[in-house]
C-alpha cells in the first residue's frame, strides 16, 4: 500500500509540475460550466433538475479528459525506458498499475471538488436534494474509475501517447454511446445485452438517486477488468 | 549475497540473445561482464534484476530462486540500466527520495541517505536542479546514486562510467572497488582497462555464450600458453649469449631482438619457467642481466581472439 501511495504521489506531483494538471482542470471546469450554462439556463427555476444537467455534462467532460490524463502514464515510461527502472525497484507490476490508477483518480477528485462551489450556489438558490447530489457525485466517481482503468490499459499497450489517447477514447466510445445505440436497435435478449453494457443508462440510474448493486457491479467490473488487462499487458514487457 | 545463474536462456524470436549460460558471483566479488555489442550482456542483467522474465533456467539470489514469489530480491539489488533512463522533469532530490521510498528505506533515514549519495556521487553543486537540466555525466551520477540509495547488497551496473569525466571515472572505479569488498557487483563495460582496474573476475560473453570466465591472470595464462620473457644481457658477446640461452633445457626458443641494445626474447617450453636458469647462467658467465620482463598478452588481444569470428 505504501508503494502504491508513493507512485500515486509522484504522478500527482508530476501533473502539477508540468502545468498539464492546470490545463486539464481549467478545460474540465470551463467545458462543464459552459455547457451547463448553455443547456441549463433555467437554473433559477429548478434546483435539482438543473444539477442533473450538470452531472450529465460532467460525465461527458470526464469521458474526454480522463484519456488525456492517463495517456502518458505507461506509454511515456515505456518510451523513455524509465519503466525498466521503476519495475526493477521493489515494486510489483500490480502496484505500478494501482499507483498510476490512484494518482489519476486523485486528480479527478480534485477536479470534482472544484465543481462544488457551483453546487453550493444552486443549493443556496433553490432547494436541493442532498441525497441526489451525493448520488450524482458517486455516479461521476464510478464512471471515472471505469474510464481511468480503460485509459491505463490503453496506455499500457503502446509507447505513443496519442495512440493511447485514441485507443482509450475508442474503447470509451463503445460504453458511452455505441452500446446504447445498439441496445435501441436490437430487440429481445440481444437488446437487453447491449443495454446492460451501456454505461449511460447505469450512470443515469445512479445519478437519479437510485442506488442499485447492479450498477455498482457494472462499474467495478469494468474497472477491475481494465486494470487487470493493464497489468497483463505490462507483464509482457516487449511491446514497441 | 551470492548470485547463481544456471542454464539461463532468453530468445527474441528465433534469435537466442542468451544461450544456456552458467556462472556464479560471490559476495565480495566484482565481476566484469565483457562482450561485443549485442552479445547479451544487458539482456542477462535485465533478467537478474527482474525486468524481463526468465525463459529457461534459473537465477538464484542468496539461494532463493527469482521465480519464488516469496523472494523479495528486488530490495537487495541496485540497478543502473544502460542508457540511464530517468524522470527528466523531476528535481534530483525528489527523485532520490522517490527511489528510496520505493526501495523501502525507513522514512527517518531517507534524508541522510540522500545526503550521503549526493556526496558520494559528486552531485552537490547541481543538487537543486531538475534532472532534465543536467549534463550527461551528471545524469549518470544520478543514475548511480539511485542504484545505491538503499545500500543494496547487490549492484548491477550496465556500463556505469559512460559519459563521466576522467576524474569522476577514477572516483567511481574506486567506489566500485570499495563497495565490492562487501557486496556483490556485476558491471558491464567496453573499456578494458576499466575491467583490470575494478574487477576481480572477468566473464566474456559472445553471441549469448560464455567464452571465458576467470581472473585477468588466469585468462592471460590460458591465452598465452608458454612463458615469454624479454631480456637484456650485457657484458657478453651477443652470439655466445644467444647460443647459451638456446642451450638451456627449459628454453624452447631464444631470439635476438635488438643487436645494439642486447635485447633477447625467450620462449620457455610449456608449463616451465626459464627465469631461474637464465639468472644462474648469467651469474656463471659473469654477464650482467639488466632487464627481465615477462611479456603479457594484453586483455585486448584475449578479447579479440575470443570474440572475432
Ligand atoms: N527488445 C528486444 N527485442 C528484440 N531483440 C532484442 C531486444 N533486446 C535485445 N535484443 C537482441 O538481443 C541481443 C543481445 O542484446 P543485448 O542488449 O543484451 O546486448 P549487449 O551485450 O548489452 O550489447 P551492447 O554492448 O551493445 O550493449 C541483440 O542481438 C539484440 O538485438
Ligand atoms: Mg548493453
Amino acid at each position: 500500500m505504501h508503494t502504491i501511495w508513493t507512485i500515486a504521489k509522484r504522478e500527482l506531483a508530476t501533473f502539477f509540475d508540468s502545468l498539464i494538471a492546470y490545463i486539464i482542470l481549467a478545460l474540465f471546469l470551463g467545458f462543464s460550466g459552459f455547457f451547463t450554462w448553455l443547456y441549463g439556463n433555467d437554473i433559477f427555476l429548478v434546483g435539482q433538475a438543473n444539477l442533473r444537467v450538470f452531472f450529465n455534462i460532467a460525465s461527458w467532460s470526464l469521458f474526454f479528459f480522463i484519456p488525456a490524463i492517463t495517456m502518458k502514464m505507461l506509454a511515456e515510461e515505456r518510451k523513455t525506458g524509465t519503466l525498466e527502472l521503476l519495475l526493477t525497484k521493489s515494486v510489483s507490476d500490480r502496484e505500478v498499475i494501482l499507483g498510476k490508477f490512484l494518482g489519476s483518480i486523485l486528480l479527478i477528485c480534485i477536479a470534482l471538488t472544484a465543481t462544488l462551489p457551483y453546487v453550493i450556489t444552486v443549493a443556496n438558490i433553490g432547494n436541493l436534494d442532498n441525497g441526489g447530489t451525493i448520488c450524482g457525485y458517486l455516479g461521476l466517481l464510478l464512471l471515472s474509475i471505469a474510464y481511468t482503468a480503460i485509459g491505463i490499459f490503453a496506455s499500457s499497450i503502446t509507447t505513443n501517447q496519442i495512440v493511447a489517447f485514441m485507443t482509450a477514447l475508442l474503447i470509451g466510445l463503445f460504453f458511452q454511446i455505441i452500446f446504447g445505440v445498439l441496445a435501441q436497435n436490437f430487440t429481445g435478449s440481444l437488446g437487453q445485452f447491449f443495454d446492460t453494457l451501456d454505461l449511460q443508462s447505469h450512470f443515469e440510474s445512479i445519478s437519479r438517486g437510485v442506488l442499485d448493486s447492479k450498477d455498482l457491479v457494472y462499474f467495478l467490473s469494468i474497472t477491475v477488468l481494465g486494470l487487470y488487462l493493464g497489468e497483463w499487458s505490462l507483464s509482457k514487457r516487449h511491446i514497441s | 549475497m551470492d548470485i547463481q545463474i544456471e542454464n539461463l536462456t532468453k530468445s527474441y524470436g528465433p534469435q537466442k540473445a542468451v544461450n544456456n549460460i552458467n556462472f556464479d558471483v560471490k559476495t565480495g566479488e566484482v565481476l566484469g561482464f565483457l562482450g561485443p555489442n549485442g552479445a547479451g550482456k544487458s539482456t542477462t542483467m535485465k533478467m537478474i534484476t527482474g525486468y524481463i522474465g526468465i525463459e529457461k533456467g534459473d537465477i538464484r539470489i542468496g539461494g532463493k530462486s527469482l521465480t519464488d514469489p516469496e523472494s523479495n530480491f528486488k530490495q537487495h539489488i541496485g540497478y543502473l540500466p544502460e542508457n540511464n533512463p530517468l524522470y527528466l522533469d523531476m528535481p534530483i532530490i525528489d527523485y532520490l527520495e522517490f527511489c528510496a521510498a520505493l526501495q523501502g528505506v525507513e522514512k527517518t533515514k531517507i534524508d541522510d541517505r540522500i545526503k550521503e549519495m549526493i556526496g558520494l556521487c559528486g552531485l552537490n553543486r547541481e543538487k537543486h536542479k531538475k534532472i532534465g537540466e543536467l549534463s550527461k555525466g551528471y545524469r549518470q551520477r544520478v543514475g548511480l546514486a539511485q542504484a545505491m540509495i538503499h545500500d543494496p547488497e547487490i549492484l548491477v551496473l550496465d556500463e556505469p562510467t559512460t559519459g563521466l569525466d576522467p576524474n569522476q571515472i577514477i572516483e567511481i572505479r574506486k567506489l566500485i572497488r570499495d563497495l565490492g569488498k562487501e557486496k556483490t557487483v556485476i558491471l558491464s563495460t567496453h573499456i578494458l582497462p576499466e575491467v583490470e582496474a575494478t574487477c576481480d573476475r572477468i566473464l566474456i560473453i559472445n553471441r549469448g555464450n560464455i567464452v571465458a570466465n576467470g581472473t585477468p591472470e588466469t585468462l592471460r595464462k590460458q591465452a598465452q600458453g608458454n612463458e615469454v620473457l624479454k631480456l637484456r644481457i650485457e657484458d657478453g658477446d651477443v652470439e655466445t649469449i644467444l647460443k647459451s640461452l638456446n642451450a638451456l633445457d627449459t628454453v624452447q626458443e631464444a631470439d635476438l631482438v635488438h643487436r645494439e641494445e642486447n635485447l633477447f626474447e625467450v620462449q620457455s617450453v610449456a608449463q616451465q619457467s626459464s627465469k631461474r636458469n637464465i639468472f644462474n647462467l648469467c651469474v656463471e658467465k659473469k654477464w650482467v642481466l639488466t632487464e627481465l620482463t615477462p611479456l603479457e598478452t594484453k586483455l585486448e588481444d584475449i578479447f579479440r581472439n575470443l570474440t572475432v569470428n
Side-chain angles (χ1 to χ4, degrees):
Chain A
M1 194 57 218
H2 176 248
T3 309
I4 297 172
W5 175 237
T6 306
I7 295 173
K9 238 177 15 190
R10 197 199 76 83
E11 282 306 322
L12 214 55
T14 311
F15 268 125
F16 283 104
D17 248 16
S18 63
L19 282 178
I20 297 178
Y22 300 101
I23 293 169
I24 289 178
L25 281 181
L27 280 174
F28 171 71
L29 291 176
F31 194 79
S32 325
F34 176 72
F35 282 101
T36 308
W37 172 75
L38 201 66
Y39 292 112
N41 47 9
D42 46 355
I43 177 167
F44 296 106
L45 301 176
V46 255
Q48 191 60 41
N50 179 269
L51 268 188
R52 210 169 290 149
V53 173
F54 162 72
F55 285 130
N56 191 22
I57 283 169
S59 77
W60 276 94
S61 309
L62 288 170
F63 165 72
F64 281 109
F65 288 116
I66 288 174
I69 294 172
T70 54
M71 64 181 184
K72 74 188 275 264
M73 288 195 145
L74 291 160
E76 181 75 3
E77 293 229 24
R78 215 196 272 276
K79 186 171 170 182
T80 58
T82 49
L83 191 65
E84 179 171 354
L85 212 46
L86 184 58
L87 288 170
T88 50
K89 301 272 179 248
S90 97
V91 166
S92 66
D93 291 10
R94 181 164 297 173
E95 285 168 327
V96 169
I97 295 281
L98 290 177
K100 305 254 169 193
F101 176 71
L102 183 61
S104 48
I105 293 300
L106 287 176
L107 185 70
I108 292 162
C109 286
I110 293 171
L112 290 179
T113 313
T115 63
L116 277 179
Y118 173 74
V119 176
I120 291 164
T121 315
V122 175
N124 282 339
I125 295 163
N127 51 340
L128 197 66
D129 170 8
N130 281 331
T133 310
I134 290 171
C135 281
Y137 274 106
L138 182 68
L140 287 181
L141 193 64
L142 286 170
L143 170 141
S144 299
I145 61 171
Y147 280 145
T148 303
I150 291 172
I152 284 179
F153 164 67
S155 183
S156 75
I157 58 171
T158 172
T159 56
N160 185 321
Q161 296 185 38
I162 305 299
V163 173
F165 179 79
M166 293 310 223
T167 310
L169 218 50
L170 185 70
I171 300 173
L173 211 56
F174 276 88
F175 291 102
Q176 188 78 1
I177 304 174
I178 296 176
F179 289 139
V181 173
L182 289 175
Q184 283 170 4
N185 286 308
F186 286 98
T187 50
S189 59
L190 202 59
Q192 196 81 52
F193 172 70
F194 284 125
D195 192 49
T196 316
L197 287 179
D198 178 32
L199 188 139
Q200 287 276 337
S201 64
H202 290 281
F203 173 70
E204 263 159 30
S205 76
I206 291 181
S207 64
R208 265 205 311 274
V210 188
L211 270 185
D212 191 335
S213 60
K214 260 197 306 198
D215 301 322
L216 276 176
V217 169
Y218 172 80
F219 284 110
L220 292 179
S221 311
I222 298 181
T223 310
V224 170
L225 188 68
L227 294 178
Y228 185 78
L229 287 176
E231 187 188 338
W232 171 79
S233 124
L234 199 58
S235 74
K236 310 236 158 295
R237 297 279 196 266
H238 297 285
I239 302 167
S240 38
Chain B
M1 265 187 167
D2 296 356
I3 304 174
Q4 286 143 338
I5 287 168
E6 287 166 6
N7 306 324
L8 192 65
T9 300
K10 176 84 199 177
S11 336
Y12 291 113
Q15 180 201 7
K16 286 215 159 108
V18 173
N19 188 6
N20 202 23
I21 62 172
N22 290 279
F23 65 89
D24 286 5
V25 199
K26 302 226 156 41
T27 311
E29 188 174 47
V30 181
L31 179 79
F33 214 21
L34 296 180
N37 293 131
K41 303 180 293 293
S42 300
T43 306
T44 309
M45 290 180 153
K46 283 180 216 265
M47 284 191 274
I48 296 173
T49 53
Y51 178 59
I52 56 178
I54 297 169
E55 181 184 307
K56 242 187 250 152
D58 199 5
I59 298 176
R60 276 205 287 270
I61 288 181
K64 268 194 199 154
S65 167
L66 294 202
T67 49
D68 180 356
E70 299 282 287
S71 92
N72 50 347
F73 67 94
K74 288 176 179 175
Q75 224 166 21
H76 305 296
I77 299 182
Y79 178 37
L80 174 70
E82 84 186 320
N83 304 327
N84 189 24
L86 296 166
Y87 296 116
L88 299 184
D89 48 9
M90 274 181 107
I92 298 178
I93 293 181
D94 291 4
Y95 178 62
L96 292 179
E97 198 181 324
F98 172 70
C99 294
L102 284 186
Q103 292 290 38
V105 178
E106 279 173 52
K107 253 210 176 95
T108 49
K109 291 186 183 151
I110 288 184
D111 279 349
D112 289 341
R113 284 302 299 168
I114 293 176
K115 265 192 211 119
E116 206 179 326
M117 284 304 114
I118 284 179
L120 209 56
C121 300
L123 282 165
N124 208 24
R125 219 158 50 90
E126 309 270 311
K127 69 180 171 203
H128 293 297
K129 288 194 179 166
K130 281 191 175 181
I131 296 173
E133 296 163 357
L134 296 176
S135 69
K136 181 173 146 85
Y138 272 98
R139 286 186 200 181
Q140 191 72 13
R141 297 178 198 199
V142 175
L144 283 164
Q146 65 79 26
M148 298 185 292
I149 189 93
H150 56 301
D151 197 21
E153 287 166 80
I154 295 170
L155 275 171
V156 179
L157 309 172
D158 205 344
E159 304 188 25
T161 55
T162 44
L164 297 179
D165 63 51
N167 300 333
Q168 189 68 15
I169 287 184
I170 290 171
E171 274 174 42
I172 294 296
R173 283 183 190 164
K174 184 173 173 303
L175 180 66
I176 292 173
R177 274 235 69 94
D178 290 346
L179 288 171
K181 284 180 193 143
E182 302 147 34
K183 301 184 191 298
T184 316
V185 183
I186 302 182
L187 71 89
S188 81
T189 179
H190 290 296
I191 309 165
L192 296 173
E194 179 159 300
V195 178
E196 303 213 56
T198 50
C199 301
D200 303 309
R201 197 148 59 84
I202 297 178
L203 199 82
I204 301 180
I205 177 170
N206 188 31
R207 299 190 186 172
N209 296 295
I210 292 179
V211 290
N213 180 359
T215 61
E217 295 84 65
T218 47
L219 289 195
R220 278 209 190 86
K221 268 199 200 113
Q222 278 170 15
Q224 191 163 27
N226 301 353
E227 178 191 69
V228 178
L229 301 170
K230 194 172 124 194
L231 305 175
R232 189 199 299 266
I233 299 176
E234 292 173 30
D235 294 0
D237 171 49
V238 174
E239 298 301 333
T240 327
I241 295 174
L242 195 60
K243 217 179 260 165
S244 320
L245 283 175
N246 268 318
L248 291 174
D249 48 8
T250 52
V251 172
Q252 186 170 348
E253 199 186 342
D255 294 308
L256 186 60
V257 180
H258 204 292
R259 186 172 290 273
E260 274 76 54
E261 294 183 19
N262 293 33
L263 272 183
F264 303 88
E265 205 174 279
V266 174
Q267 188 179 2
S268 310
V269 296
Q271 316 290 339
Q272 302 248 17
S273 170
S274 314
K275 287 177 199 157
R276 279 165 184 281
N277 285 346
I278 291 167
F279 180 79
N280 289 334
L281 177 74
C282 292
V283 171
E284 189 189 310
K285 308 265 177 158
K286 294 218 163 62
W287 294 329
V288 184
L289 182 61
T290 53
E291 188 180 334
L292 190 155
T293 335
L295 283 186
E296 297 192 319
T297 323
K298 283 203 232 90
L299 207 49
E300 274 86 354
D301 298 328
I302 300 175
F303 184 83
R304 276 190 65 80
N305 280 338
L306 290 168
T307 56
V308 176
N309 22 31

